[in-house]
Amino acid sequence: MKMLNLKGFILFLSAVLVWACQTPPKADPPKAVQPLPNADQVAWQKLETYAFVHFNMNTFSDREWGFGDEDPKMFNPSELDCNQWAKVCKESGLKGIIITAKHHDGFCLWPSKYTEHSIKNSPFRDGKGDLIKELSEACKAQGLKFGIYYSPWDRNHPDYGKPEYITYMRNQLTELLTNYGDIFEVWFDGANGGDGYYGGANETRKVDKLSYYDWENTYALVRKLQPHAMMFSDGGPDIRWVGNESGYAYKTTWSNLLRDSVYAGMPDYSQKYAEGQENGTHWVPAEVDVSVRPNWYYHTWDDDNVKTVAQLTDIYYESVGRNANLLFNFPVDRRGLIHEKDAENIVRWHEKIEKDFKENLIAEASLSASGSRGYGYEVDAVKDGDYDTYWTLEDGSPESSITVDFGEKTAFNRLLLQEYIPLGQRVKVFTVEAKNGEEWKEIANETTIGYKRILRLEDQEAEAIRINFKEAKDIPLINNIGVYLAPKLLIGPKVSRTKAGEVSFEKPELGLKLFYTLDGSAPTKESTMYTGPFSEPNKALLKAVSYDERTDKYSEEVQVQFEKSKSLWKILGGDEDMQKAVDGDPNTAMRAKSKTIVLDLGEELNLKGFKYAPNKGRQVHAAIKDYALYTSADQKNWENAAEGSFDNIRNNSIEQKVDFSPRKARYVKIVAKTILDDQPLPVIAEFGIITE
Ligand code: FUL
């Protein structure tokens, strides 16, 4: 027995020796390029997508920014279920939820000891509820992370603007950061200071955004209570705002930031700092916050404006695909649930993203590089699935390339690249070439990579691709490359037409072909192909489809009935601004100067109806509710055409249509008899007509 053990040991030892002699020592690691992320920032970046929930007093007061004088009794969800939120997020691959614990109106979703303006004075769970607790538990049950949005601005608190308020804020943060388990992110809103209720003072209170909150000590408190939580605000300290609420980072997005020049709520942040800077002094990566509806809070009138799968997908590529994390907001509704439409679209969005990245075509390809640092840093590290192994060069010039040889013609339309950020963001310029036969052709010329960069390309076919790192702060460190053939999202094009009658299509996805007809026939690949804006000033029925050549499949048909173009139209007595009501763009709105608006069509037409689109912007401001319509051939004799009410216009801000008996007329008079939101004058996004 003893002999055998000894024999075994000797055999083992010789095997180790043979291995050790054959294996060269691992090359020295490259030096870091400052600034660097800490381990928590790297872990945060790997989350990539997570959820925001805006649910608070505004949900019940139907506002975006409550004044602070709302009665706590208004907070009364009928079916609140945080588990439903957590399940939707889990199913959509979102890694956590951040909740508006206190928004600008000061109402608290937890029974804070320090204010009466909270859930404890609402009918919800008979005043015994604690929504922060319910959500933290629901997140835990689904394995999601949990985060807190806390508005420093408080339009309810009597002390806001005074030093006492800072103590209040820190007391509240202490409650939130000690009683609910691990917090992965604390979101400090940059919007602050202004008018408010302030305990009944009803006044405007401005604060010095740089100094009032004594951020240094507030941050220190958060760090003490939740050492691993990321702190978000315009300028960090740990993660920064991307500078817009529309859902995109920039083609050039640095995680480095000149952090000491930035403070929350500064006026020129978006223009000057949002992209980050190559020479930024601190690692403060960008986070893209965007709502799945036009607004942050739930309003019934947004029910038809939930972002489509195509829009959500675009957002993903322009955020996660551009070196930023993505925070998708759900405006939870008055029942206390993520609305069915939001849930459906986000789940379908997730399925789409999963499909796009299903098969990495690099798996079977052979890789080579223009150089290597040596053992442990070979190019195959970019496809080994291990985050912490990467390809890099010997110290010296960063100019280099990686070639991915598929061995045969291969179709693809996505390229994913990752830099190994624990040692700093480096790449400044890179290009991509595709090889067919002997010829190399450039297919992309880009700037930064960072944690992750995804290029959406037209469908390509190539035997090989080459990624050229042209300029970098130091030798590039690449830990992952992915090449994919994403299936197309086959939906019809979005059609718009200018006042002059120029028609444009928006492609739902790169690589699709668009076809259309104007004679009523069904469009196919034999019909006219859309190659750019075209003119159609006349009345016509447009039918359009998207077509995927690869699969030979069509989208459903999109139909748009064009009336004669609005080139001759004018709002009489109106200035430039008022002409926005007839500019063909329902996204621009105008406030009328009078309750009676006269529209000159510029020529006599056979009218049989009228269309009115209310403002779809952040809120339905001042929509016309009760109306009367008159027509005239000469502006002297007016004939009543219709009278009525747009009953559901508040809840559903879609274009409203009014039919009337056919007549010839050049002028239309619209009288706004009642206007919503107690407004004296109506706001109009677009007027239209229906002709015979
Ligand atoms: C903004 C706020 O003013 C909005 O209401 C919303 O909370 C958004 C996420 O941040 O600054």
Side-chain angles (χ1 to χ4, degrees):
M1 195 61 187
K2 255 190 174 173
M3 273 302 287
L4 226 156
N5 271 349
L6 188 65
K7 216 174 146 191
F9 180 68
I10 291 170
L11 271 174
F12 170 73
L13 206 66
S14 30
V16 170
L17 275 172
V18 169
W19 176 81
C21 294
Q22 283 174 353
T23 313
K26 190 167 175 175
D28 288 341
K31 58 184 187 307
V33 171
Q34 300 292 332
L36 299 181
N38 61 37
D40 290 325
Q41 285 173 313
V42 176
W44 168 86
Q45 194 92 53
K46 289 182 187 170
L47 299 176
E48 300 192 358
T49 56
Y50 38 91
F52 221 174
V53 166
H54 273 62
F55 179 69
N56 202 305
M57 184 55 87
N58 289 330
T59 314
F60 300 91
S61 60
D62 223 0
R63 301 174 104 163
E64 282 291 294
W65 282 15
F67 197 65
D69 59 348
E70 296 79 12
D71 183 346
K73 292 198 174 55
M74 286 164 60
F75 184 87
N76 194 13
S78 52
E79 299 169 43
L80 183 110
D81 182 6
C82 292
N83 291 311
Q84 186 251 3
W85 313 359
K87 281 184 195 143
V88 169
C89 292
K90 182 78 186 183
E91 213 186 320
S92 324
L94 303 172
K95 303 291 181 351
I97 304 181
I98 301 176
I99 173 81
T100 48
K102 184 191 86 162
H103 204 250
H104 309 327
D105 57 46
F107 188 78
C108 300
L109 294 183
W110 78 105
S112 172
K113 269 203 305 224
Y114 305 98
T115 180
E116 292 305 304
H117 200 53
S118 89
I119 205 160
K120 70 185 175 200
N121 289 317
S122 79
F124 172 65
R125 310 248 190 275
D126 290 328
K128 300 197 176 55
D130 183 343
L131 210 145
I132 300 300
K133 185 149 185 276
E134 287 190 32
L135 182 58
S136 63
E137 284 168 0
C139 284
K140 211 173 195 174
Q142 292 296 333
L144 300 177
K145 297 193 175 291
F146 179 57
I148 294 287
Y149 163 110
Y150 184 89
S151 167
W153 184 21
D154 191 320
R155 303 171 94 189
N156 170 268
H157 204 277
D159 289 340
Y160 182 77
K162 302 178 195 155
E164 291 83 342
Y165 173 75
I166 304 306
T167 309
Y168 172 76
M169 174 170 153
R170 291 191 184 146
N171 283 337
Q172 288 210 316
L173 285 171
T174 304
E175 287 181 326
L176 287 168
L177 303 180
T178 39
N179 297 335
Y180 303 100
D182 286 344
I183 304 290
F184 85 104
E185 183 166 327
V186 181
W187 216 93
F188 288 119
D189 201 315
N192 57 66
D195 60 346
Y197 170 70
Y198 303 126
N202 290 316
E203 60 189 14
T204 297
R205 292 187 182 172
K206 290 226 165 77
V207 297
D208 178 350
K209 292 176 185 174
L210 189 56
S211 61
Y212 176 58
Y213 299 102
D214 178 17
W215 281 119
E216 205 184 313
N217 286 308
T218 305
Y219 292 158
L221 175 75
V222 175
R223 204 64 97 210
K224 190 179 96 198
L225 299 173
Q226 293 281 343
H228 300 293
M230 290 289 97
M231 281 184 263
F232 166 100
S233 83
D234 288 5
D238 303 320
I239 48 188
R240 71 173 194 268
W241 185 41
V242 80
N244 66 75
E245 295 179 350
S246 313
Y248 63 89
Y250 312 91
K251 283 186 158 218
T252 301
T253 301
W254 288 96
S255 293
N256 311 343
L257 182 74
L258 290 165
R259 193 178 74 182
D260 294 339
S261 312
V262 173
Y263 60 90
M266 68 191 293
D268 47 0
Y269 175 79
S270 299
Q271 296 74 39
K272 278 199 186 153
Y273 296 100
E275 289 185 15
Q277 299 90 24
E278 181 190 328
N279 62 345
T281 47
H282 293 77
W283 187 269
V284 192
E287 182 189 78
V288 169
D289 60 317
V290 61
S291 187
V292 302
R293 292 173 173 235
N295 288 291
W296 291 101
Y297 279 95
Y298 179 81
H299 310 285
T300 45
W301 65 72
D302 279 344
D303 283 352
D304 283 313
N305 294 327
V306 180
K307 291 197 169 82
T308 60
V309 176
Q311 288 170 317
L312 297 170
T313 303
D314 249 359
I315 289 173
Y316 174 83
Y317 280 109
E318 295 193 353
S319 54
V320 174
R322 289 182 176 174
N323 191 30
N325 273 5
L326 169 57
L327 180 55
F328 260 143
N329 177 64
F330 297 105
V332 160
D333 67 18
R334 270 173 230 154
R335 292 170 301 175
L337 300 175
I338 292 182
H339 193 279
E340 292 75 355
K341 290 189 177 179
D342 306 27
E344 191 194 324
N345 286 10
I346 206 78
V347 168
R348 282 178 41 221
W349 158 79
H350 179 56
E351 286 165 5
K352 158 78 180 143
I353 299 297
E354 295 269 279
K355 277 191 204 147
D356 284 8
F357 297 99
K358 199 161 161 220
E359 194 195 345
N360 191 348
L361 301 170
I362 210 173
E364 303 298 320
S366 56
L367 305 183
S368 56
S370 61
S372 162
R373 192 171 188 83
Y375 185 66
Y377 300 96
E378 289 90 350
V379 73
D380 275 350
V382 304
K383 63 166 183 173
D384 67 0
D386 181 343
Y387 184 82
D388 290 305
T389 61
Y390 51 90
W391 161 83
T392 191
L393 303 166
E394 284 174 3
D395 293 334
S397 162
E399 233 190 300
S400 53
S401 66
I402 292 180
T403 303
V404 178
D405 191 342
F406 300 115
E408 59 185 332
K409 249 193 199 318
T410 300
F412 63 95
N413 53 23
R414 301 283 185 275
L415 175 66
L416 181 153
L417 298 166
Q418 289 190 274
E419 280 189 80
Y420 187 64
I421 56 164
L423 293 179
Q425 186 178 348
R426 298 157 181 247
V427 176
K428 296 199 269 185
V429 179
F430 71 98
T431 63
V432 184
E433 294 168 289
K435 184 182 178 218
N436 278 308
E438 287 312 301
E439 198 200 340
W440 285 98
K441 191 174 139 226
E442 186 172 293
I443 56 171
N445 187 335
E446 299 288 336
T447 56
T448 51
I449 297 176
Y451 166 74
K452 193 176 261 189
R453 183 76 199 272
I454 311 171
L455 304 183
R456 277 184 292 180
L457 304 160
E458 294 275 1
D459 284 355
Q460 306 285 336
E461 281 214 336
E463 291 149 25
I465 56 173
R466 185 158 64 199
I467 302 146
N468 304 300
F469 304 99
K470 297 272 192 192
E471 284 174 46
K473 291 179 76 175
D474 201 338
I475 48 170
L477 272 49
I478 304 298
N479 66 342
N480 189 26
I481 298 182
V483 182
Y484 307 88
L485 177 62
K488 305 272 181 320
L489 197 60
L490 254 184
I491 51 178
K494 216 167 131 198
V495 178
S496 57
R497 187 165 76 147
T498 64
K499 184 172 177 172
E502 192 180 77
V503 181
S504 355
F505 292 0
E506 207 179 284
K507 228 184 236 187
E509 181 140 31
L510 267 179
L512 288 176
K513 291 199 162 131
L514 311 177
F515 295 95
Y516 67 94
T517 63
L518 288 159
D519 60 4
S521 63
T524 66
K525 58 187 170 188
E526 315 304 332
S527 312
T528 314
M529 185 160 90
Y530 176 80
T531 49
F534 60 92
S535 174
E536 180 46 83
N538 300 314
K539 180 166 175 159
L541 178 64
L542 173 98
K543 293 186 178 180
V545 283
S546 302
Y547 171 69
D548 181 11
E549 218 166 12
R550 181 167 302 286
T551 55
D552 194 25
K553 285 203 172 118
Y554 292 97
S555 70
E556 276 181 28
E557 201 174 281
V558 172
Q559 286 197 17
V560 186
Q561 176 64 61
F562 292 141
E563 289 295 337
K564 200 153 183 219
S565 87
K566 297 177 180 174
S567 55
L568 304 175
W569 290 27
K570 224 178 151 199
I571 302 283
L572 294 182
D575 54 12
E576 256 320 281
D577 196 45
M578 278 187 67
Q579 306 309 325
K580 285 183 187 153
V582 292
D583 65 357
D585 182 358
N587 297 313
T588 60
M590 69 93 169
R591 184 176 286 275
K593 303 278 178 295
S594 147
K595 280 181 159 183
T596 300
I597 304 153
V598 180
L599 170 61
D600 178 2
L601 304 172
E603 63 190 323
E604 199 165 75
L605 293 170
N606 291 321
L607 300 185
K608 64 165 191 170
F610 190 72
K611 295 191 269 191
Y612 159 54
N615 183 12
K616 267 200 184 200
R618 293 204 85 172
Q619 302 206 21
V620 180
H621 284 304
I624 300 175
K625 175 113 194 313
D626 298 301
Y627 63 87
L629 287 175
Y630 303 87
T631 55
S632 166
D634 54 11
Q635 263 205 89
K636 286 188 201 96
N637 301 308
W638 289 98
E639 200 185 328
N640 184 277
E643 215 151 330
S645 173
F646 301 125
D647 288 328
N648 200 28
I649 198 159
R650 168 171 274 295
N651 293 343
N652 197 358
S653 57
I654 55 172
E655 186 181 60
Q656 312 285 317
K657 290 193 181 95
V658 180
D659 292 323
F660 47 72
S661 54
R663 81 242 354 256
K664 277 195 188 326
R666 171 170 170 174
Y667 301 94
V668 183
K669 191 195 290 180
I670 307 104
V671 181
K673 288 167 55 183
T674 54
I675 299 158
L676 290 181
D677 302 327
D678 294 326
Q679 295 292 308
L681 295 170
V683 173
I684 290 110
E686 196 67 23
F687 284 139
I689 52 160
I690 308 168
T691 57
E692 277 207 293

